[in-house]
Amino acid sequence: MEENESDIVFGGSTWKVPDNPSVPFVYGDGIGHDVTSNAMRVIDAAIDKAYGGDRSIKWIEMQAGEKAEKETGSRLPDSTIDYVKKHGLLFKGPLETPVGGGFRSLNVTLRLALDLYANIRPIKYVNGITSPLRNPDNIDLVIFRENTDDIYIGIEWKYDSKEAGEVRDFLKSKMGVKIDQDAGIGIKPIGKAKTERIARMAIQYAIKNKRRSVTIMHKGNIMKYTEGAFREWSYDVAISEFRDSIVTEKEVAENYGGKVPEGKVLINDRIADNMFQQLIGKPDIYDVILAPNLNGDYVSDAAGALIGDIGILGGANIGDSGGMFEAVHGTAPKYADKNIANPMGMIRAGMLMLEYFGWNEPVALIDKALEKSIAQKKVTQDIARLMGCEAIGTKEFSDAVISNL
């Protein structure tokens, strides 16, 4: 690709970003336009406040979702995929995904098209938000979810389809495995190379950011050659590539009297069901969580609920040559265009994007402004309901954050 002055040059965790980068964006479906447009206002204001006009983002709208289908006949036009591939970046509002039928998830399609193999979701308690826990203050997790493997590949067949019948016949005749005739069939691939690269990224992050531990979440006691292999391959990467910086839980018990040596990142693992109950009972003992796609999806939302509301979380989808940044909530169509929805998830997605830009000054400004707005009880209805105060609208909340920068 021929570079121009607004292009970002990607290099793993280090990006070369010009002062005025072009950022493709999609408003999204449902509440997408409300939350995305207001998040962009906050991001722009923070950048201007931090850099006095020396840096700015050139936003470029892309078509995707319901709006794109009406205008082009496709929910994800080839032109959007091609443009995003070329620029390696997307700031994306929520897009609708049907349950039980219909079109394939556009989110998954975009992740696979850009090979954004790491879904990264920081989860940290925000002062003033009501949590179901007595002491949520110590929740400070970062979840690394493998993003391009597992059942999300979408290899499955309806129970009464020709393909399902052929798979059942093959398994019975060639493998001696009998599957009920009324069973739908899905395939769960977990690959070694894909596991190794997400494990590598999670461990590199932990070392770089001086985190305490990386916990591999899996159901390897049952799915031995998929999730069990994910566990083994992750340990192999830790030991073979980061030997001087990590220590395993077994080594701590056998060689260090149960105490993690100074300066070492602890590598351990937990079976998924145990992970969930420990995360609820003892969330403060966990730091970085590394998980296959499905487990990562589950645990991200569960952990988000512990701080009071997943609607306030943003997520990053990162690969070796680009990234996509989005809120973790859905489209909530009943609230569309009503100036009700909370834009905080999209704002935090923008903060993650700015962190990858290396623009940490506006990130710090937004973080403080969000906390101040919540302390002032200037919040949208989802948070107001928890705090027992009067709600303000999407635009008014964004105005409050901007005024608090």
Side-chain angles (χ1 to χ4, degrees), residues 217 271-281 295 298-299 302:
M217 178 184 177
I271 293 174
D273 42 348
N274 184 37
M275 178 88 240
F276 277 113
Q277 64 93 7
Q278 288 204 21
L279 195 59
I280 293 170
N295 286 342
Y298 289 157
V299 76

Side-chain angles (χ1 to χ4, degrees), residues 141-384:
L141 305 166
V142 182
I143 297 171
F144 279 74
R145 165 191 170 193
E146 203 292 319
N147 224 7
T148 62
D149 216 356
D150 206 342
I151 63 170
Y152 288 75
I153 296 294
I155 307 171
E156 61 175 356
W157 300 279
K158 190 179 177 183
Y159 80 98
D160 59 353
S161 67
K162 175 185 175 184
E163 292 84 358
E166 290 176 349
V167 172
R168 283 193 292 264
D169 291 343
F170 174 82
L171 290 174
K172 183 177 180 181
S173 63
K174 300 295 184 180
M175 306 287 185
V177 175
K178 185 177 182 300
I179 295 179
D180 293 340
Q181 293 297 309
D182 59 355
I185 298 173
I187 294 180
K188 179 186 178 75
I190 289 186
K192 184 178 181 183
K194 289 183 176 181
T195 298
E196 288 174 341
R197 64 183 184 176
I198 184 69
R200 186 175 297 115
M201 184 180 285
I203 297 167
Q204 286 173 336
Y205 175 91
I207 294 169
K208 179 181 178 181
N209 292 280
K210 301 186 186 309
R211 307 294 294 209
R212 294 174 287 116
S213 64
V214 176
T215 300
I216 306 160
M217 178 184 177
H218 62 94
K219 192 62 178 172
N221 57 326
I222 303 299
M223 291 172 278
K224 301 179 188 298
Y225 307 118
T226 50
E227 297 201 13
F230 184 94
R231 171 188 180 274
E232 295 304 317
W233 292 328
S234 296
Y235 270 117
D236 288 346
V237 168
I239 293 168
S240 65
E241 299 183 23
F242 302 98
R243 179 68 277 183
D244 293 340
S245 301
I246 65 95
V247 63
T248 67
E249 193 167 56
K250 181 179 180 182
E251 290 168 343
V252 169
E254 293 179 352
N255 304 330
Y256 297 100
K259 185 177 180 181
V260 178
E262 187 74 23
K264 299 283 188 179
V265 175
L266 174 67
I267 308 294
N268 58 11
D269 71 277
R270 295 291 181 269
I271 293 174
D273 42 348
N274 184 37
M275 178 88 240
F276 277 113
Q277 64 93 7
Q278 288 204 21
L279 195 59
I280 293 170
K282 299 179 284 187
D284 55 303
I285 70 173
Y286 292 101
D287 196 348
V288 175
I289 297 173
L290 167 62
N293 210 336
L294 181 61
N295 286 342
D297 196 359
Y298 289 157
V299 76
S300 293
D301 280 9
L306 297 181
I307 64 169
D309 189 347
I310 69 168
I312 66 175
L313 298 176
N317 300 274
I318 303 297
D320 293 330
S321 57
M324 179 171 73
F325 301 86
E326 60 188 349
V328 304
H329 56 67
T331 59
K334 68 178 180 179
Y335 297 125
D337 302 319
K338 293 183 179 179
N339 196 40
I340 290 175
N342 189 346
M344 198 165 166
M346 284 301 294
I347 292 171
R348 289 205 173 277
M351 292 166 68
L352 284 168
M353 182 176 70
L354 295 180
E355 287 180 8
Y356 271 85
F357 285 8
W359 295 8
N360 295 316
E361 294 84 358
V363 173
L365 289 174
I366 297 171
D367 198 37
K368 290 179 181 179
L370 286 170
E371 190 167 317
K372 187 174 181 180
S373 300
I374 292 168
Q376 295 169 340
K377 295 187 177 181
K378 294 179 179 179
V379 292
T380 50
Q381 54 89 22
D382 54 329
I383 304 300

Side-chain angles (χ1 to χ4, degrees), residues 2-171:
E2 183 179 346
E3 293 180 21
N4 63 58
E5 61 182 12
S6 64
D7 283 336
I8 297 172
V9 180
F10 301 98
S13 61
T14 303
W15 296 359
K16 183 180 178 182
V17 182
D19 288 339
N20 305 104
S22 296
V23 175
F25 76 94
V26 168
Y27 281 119
D29 297 323
I31 60 172
H33 193 281
D34 279 352
V35 296
T36 304
S37 60
N38 279 286
M40 289 160 63
R41 287 201 303 122
V42 172
I43 294 164
D44 286 341
I47 294 170
D48 187 61
K49 177 82 171 179
Y51 301 124
D54 290 337
R55 293 180 181 177
S56 64
I57 288 175
K58 179 183 178 182
W59 299 100
I60 301 172
E61 184 180 0
M62 296 286 103
Q63 295 298 321
E66 186 178 1
K67 180 181 177 181
E69 186 173 40
K70 289 178 180 177
E71 294 183 3
T72 70
S74 170
R75 283 190 173 249
L76 188 58
D78 290 341
S79 58
T80 294
I81 294 178
D82 292 343
Y83 192 92
V84 173
K85 277 184 175 181
K86 179 181 177 182
H87 287 269
L89 185 66
L90 184 64
F91 185 66
K92 185 188 73 64
L95 292 171
E96 180 189 3
T97 299
V99 176
F103 53 88
R104 186 184 185 191
S105 167
L106 303 185
N107 300 315
V108 173
T109 301
L110 284 164
R111 291 169 190 164
L112 293 176
L114 296 172
D115 198 24
L116 304 177
Y117 60 85
N119 180 274
I120 305 170
R121 190 181 298 185
I123 297 174
K124 187 175 182 179
Y125 178 66
V126 179
N127 288 329
I129 301 292
T130 303
S131 164
L133 300 180
R134 289 196 185 102
N135 300 298
D137 304 64
N138 293 327
I139 296 178
D140 185 5
L141 305 166
V142 182
I143 297 171
F144 279 74
R145 165 191 170 193
E146 203 292 319
N147 224 7
T148 62
D149 216 356
D150 206 342
I151 63 170
Y152 288 75
I153 296 294
I155 307 171
E156 61 175 356
W157 300 279
K158 190 179 177 183
Y159 80 98
D160 59 353
S161 67
K162 175 185 175 184
E163 292 84 358
E166 290 176 349
V167 172
R168 283 193 292 264
D169 291 343
F170 174 82
L171 290 174

